[in-house]
Every structure is written in structure tokens, then in C-alpha cells.
Amino acid sequence: DADVTQTPRNRITKTGKRIMLECSQTKGHDRMYWYRQDPGLGLRLIYYSFDVKDINKGEISDGYSVSRQAQAKFSLSLESAIPNQTALYFCATSRGQGAVTGELFFGEGSRLTVL
Amino acid sequence: LAKTTQPISMDSYEGQEVNITCSHNNIATNDYITWYQQFPSQGPRFIIQGYKTKVTNEVASLFIPADRKSSTLSLPRVSLSDTAVYYCLVGDGETASKLTFGTGTRLQVTL
């Protein structure tokens, strides 16, 4: 079983619909992240959370919201999806405070298509 | 935050050694250098990490000169399955949230 699990893996929706992408992890890490990747481009950070009570905006947070329901769960929501949010979304985790390095562990990705 | 620069793409034949260099002129004292590999439609995967000199694991070597302003990922005897995008990132445990994945280096391995 994957350490970082994303659901759904693929989703097609229509403009204006609310969409939630879920991420759960069994690594016991404090820190969780949501990234977006567009074709031919690198990954851009949307939101990140250092613990259950901590939520931070990343580079491209507009149009997105997140919820950290528990240490192991971090959800990304698109309140009203638009076509330019069509992308591949990745959840990632890393160890928390005291970690010497920032190695990231990624999920398999959620491909979202907004028509 | 240290900015990194790496070639956009590289081509290699199967069986050759591939060296991908990353420059990071403003690396900070506490920063580590980490390389990730990403296959199409998959999340990036950690390859190797180092602080200085040379690090080797079962898949790659990482060479870091004394000034740490650059690093070179070395993939010995690449195969077709090494075709992927390789990202160089610089940071420490506290700046992990701010690590920026650029476009990386797209390595194409052919027969």
C-alpha cells in the first residue's frame, strides 16, 4: 500500500462545480503539501500545513482551499472549478520540526479535468 | 531561498553515464542538495541527497565541490527506464515548504 494516498486518481467535472481532492498518509509525518503540475511545467505549491492547526498559502492559492482534518489527512477543495484548474495535483508529506533535511514524499497524483 | 539552474533537456544512449549539473550560487550554510526523479503522470521520487563532497547510493552519485555552488547528479550506465525529468532542489528541513520545483532536466535515453 502506498504511504501517501490520493483520491480520486482521476476526475472530470464541469465549470462551477465544487471538487474535493483527498490525501491521506501513513508515514506519521507532520507536514503535508498540495502541489499542482501543468503539462511541461514543474510543480507549484498551492497550500501547505505544518501540523493540524497550521495552514499556509503557497505560490498559487487563489481559487483553492484546504482542510487538515487530522495529522494523516489533508484535503484540497476547489469551491467553483474553472477550466484553467485542469491539471495534475500532487499531495506530499515531509517530517516535521527537527528534521535535518526536507525530503518530500509524494502521492501518485490526482488528474483533474474541468470542462 | 537558493535558486537553482539546470539544463532543460539532455539526450543519452543506453549504457552511457549521464551527468546533470545544477548551479545554486546562493546556497545557505544549512541547505542540503536533493535530487528527485519524475516519470510521466507520477509524483517525484527522491533519488539522492548530499551536503558536501560525494554521496553514492544504489542508483546514483552526487558530486558537490567544496564551494557547494553547484552539484552534479551522475547516473551510471543509464537504461531506457531512466528516461524522466530530474529536479535539483536546495533547502533544509525548515524551508522544505518553500522548495520550488522548476522545470527540471528532461533526460531522454534511447537505444
Side-chain angles (χ1 to χ4, degrees):
Chain A
D1 290 339
D3 294 323
V4 183
T5 303
Q6 294 183 227
T7 55
R9 295 291 311 279
N10 289 283
R11 181 74 183 268
I12 300 174
T13 190
K14 295 182 179 180
T15 298
K17 295 292 187 180
R18 184 178 188 274
I19 295 296
M20 178 180 287
L21 305 179
E22 298 184 333
C23 177
S24 62
Q25 52 116 344
T26 58
K27 300 191 72 68
H29 288 169
D30 290 326
R31 299 182 177 186
M32 299 187 73
Y33 311 80
W34 275 104
Y35 288 88
R36 165 180 173 159
Q37 185 170 38
D38 296 279
L41 300 180
L43 283 78
R44 292 183 290 170
L45 183 62
I46 306 172
Y47 271 96
Y48 62 98
S49 169
F50 279 7
D51 63 40
V52 175
K53 296 181 181 179
D54 177 77
I55 300 291
N56 303 282
K57 293 182 177 180
E59 179 186 1
I60 53 165
S61 60
D62 288 348
Y64 302 94
S65 63
V66 292
S67 173
R68 185 79 183 268
Q69 300 95 325
Q71 186 205 37
K73 295 184 182 297
F74 192 36
S75 299
L76 176 72
S77 294
L78 287 68
E79 297 301 325
S80 179
I82 57 177
N84 74 4
Q85 292 178 311
T86 293
L88 185 56
Y89 292 84
F90 290 104
C91 174
T93 73
S94 68
R95 288 187 293 163
Q97 188 173 8
V100 175
T101 64
E103 182 183 347
L104 295 162
F105 298 83
F106 284 84
E108 292 299 310
S110 296
R111 185 172 298 280
L112 176 65
T113 302
V114 183
L115 302 176
Chain B
L1 296 169
K3 175 178 166 55
T4 60
T5 302
Q6 50 184 120
I8 293 174
S9 64
M10 298 182 69
D11 296 311
S12 177
Y13 291 109
E14 196 172 40
Q16 290 186 327
E17 178 185 75
V18 171
N19 296 309
I20 306 174
T21 297
C22 178
S23 66
H24 27 81
N25 291 320
N26 60 339
I27 188 169
T29 302
N30 294 332
D31 286 345
Y32 279 71
I33 300 156
T34 309
W35 285 81
Y36 291 85
Q37 175 191 55
Q38 185 181 27
F39 297 113
S41 298
Q42 294 186 23
R45 183 175 68 101
F46 171 89
I47 302 176
I48 197 167
Q49 186 176 71
Y51 184 80
K52 61 180 179 181
T53 63
K54 176 183 175 182
V55 179
T56 297
N57 62 22
E58 63 275 9
V59 298
S61 294
L62 179 60
F63 299 92
I64 305 169
D67 67 7
R68 304 203 323 126
K69 293 183 182 300
S70 66
S71 58
T72 298
L73 174 71
S74 181
L75 305 172
R77 297 181 297 282
V78 294
S79 65
L80 297 177
S81 63
D82 292 315
T83 294
V85 178
Y86 294 83
Y87 298 95
C88 163
L89 279 83
V90 172
D92 63 17
E94 294 308 308
T95 60
S97 58
K98 303 176 180 65
L99 293 179
T100 299
F101 285 76
T103 54
T105 297
R106 185 174 300 276
L107 173 65
Q108 179 69 53
V109 180
T110 56
L111 292 174

